[in-house]
Amino acid sequence: MSSSVIDLLATEARFGAHNYQPIGVVLTRGEGVWVWDTEGNRYLDCLSAYSAVSQGHCHPKILAAMVEQAHRLTLTSRAFHNDQLALFYEEIAALTGSHKVLPMNSGAEAVESAIKSVRKWGYEVKGVPDGQAEIIVCADNFHGRTLGIVGFSTDAETRGHFGPFAPGFRIIPFGDAAALEAAITPNTVAFLVEPIQGEAGVIIPPAGYFTEVRELCTANNVMLVLDEIQTGLGRTGKLLAEQHEGIEADVTLLGKALSGGFYPVSAVLSNNDVLGTLRPGQHGSTFGGNPLACAVARAAVRVLVEEGMIENAATQGARFLQGLKDIRANTIRDVRGRGLMLAVELHPEAGRARRYCEALQGKGILAKDTHEHTIRIAPPLVITSDQVDWAIEQFATILTQDFS
Ligand SMILES: *Cc1c(COP(=O)(O)O)cnc(C)c1O
């Protein structure tokens, strides 16, 4: 590492809160699936900023939309109308078949907004006694970092010493429809769940789970809230992961790739009257729905569809998964994935996944460990067959070594 890189790392360590432990690479430029560090080394980005950069780094059309809009108008607040919001609503609703849209900024804000909305729906439409609404969530969930959300996390690091937390959440195992049925009470307003648990290590529920979940929610007048902040917008090879089981959520949460990584943009989409219970003054955000965000999101969604990225995620995801499965290595316990949301789980004896990620860096691949023994792989959806094949060679080289 050059002295200037060492200086940057030291300055970060000195002034920054140490709430992250990044791999020791300082990135300065990105284009498509590639990123470059300050020393000119090139890497294939197999994290895509946790799927926010699905359209590839610095996509030229999203960039052009952002620059054009930034020259004209960036922020009005919702005290006034702007000429981008209606178009954003119209296009996202048409694409996803939603009836109502609530624009926010971060993913966590979309989750918080959904929680507020389903509670309000519960009191005003379902008739739950005031203050009694219950929301069911899953063990090992990841929905963001606000106080409301970490209060129903089951991860000790995520919750530790941040309490007291808000009541009103029940936790059940993921992938277990019988547990959902048993947890529903007359006061249950919603089931909040990820279609595939990303942070937990790309955990795919058993086939048929979401069909049963949908039936249980419908039968009990419980809103099914799918957090598609990571799985949505093509990541799993479909526009929304719910389409793998042919179901429709009542409330869908989008974020991350909604802006192609240019800007924080999230949204709550609803198929029914959940968002309809919100009246003026009851919820809001200074930046939510601003014209810059809307212009960026419109371009991000447009290129995703027009450039065939969703289909490419299905094709290249299948190729990547097969390539990883074909690697013969004693270190590998399991390989799983759907579309370009993939993971290699290592045997505990093989050593920590982080060591493998650091070794992959030396081979020109940036990937991220999760939960000690899992390497998650989520390249931009614009990856080509040749790039997938090259990546698999690098994974094979590293996974056949022992870093225990
Ligand atoms: C990233 C993520 C969030 C939180 O999004 P932020 O923009 O980081 O607040 C919520 N849910 C899921 C499933 C995510 O992957």
Side-chain angles (χ1 to χ4, degrees), residues 30 61 73 85 137 142 158 162 184 203 214 223 247 265 276-277 298 304 343 356-357 361 370 384 396 398:
K61 289 187 178 157
L73 184 67
L85 183 59
V137 298
F142 183 85
T158 302
F162 292 124
I184 292 173
I203 310 298
R214 177 66 274 179
M223 292 296 108
I247 62 147
V265 186
T277 60
R298 291 178 64 209
L304 194 78
Y356 290 81
C357 291
Q361 184 199 340
T370 181
T384 64
I398 297 304

Side-chain angles (χ1 to χ4, degrees), residues 106-109 111 142-145 194 199 227 229-230 256:
S106 68
E109 282 175 296
V111 175
F142 183 85
H143 297 288
R145 298 292 194 171
E194 299 155 84
E199 290 322 283
D227 180 346
I229 291 168
Q230 195 164 140
K256 295 204 164 108

Side-chain angles (χ1 to χ4, degrees), residues 88 92 101-107 110-111 229 251-255 258 265-269:
F88 168 66
I92 199 80
V101 185
L102 173 71
M104 297 297 287
N105 311 287
S106 68
V111 175
I229 291 168
V251 178
T252 301
L253 309 179
L254 295 180
L258 187 52
V265 186
S266 67
V268 181
L269 313 177

Side-chain angles (χ1 to χ4, degrees), residues 12-26:
E12 270 194 30
R14 183 164 162 224
F15 293 109
H18 293 180
N19 57 329
Y20 280 92
Q21 191 187 19
I23 284 180
V25 60
V26 180

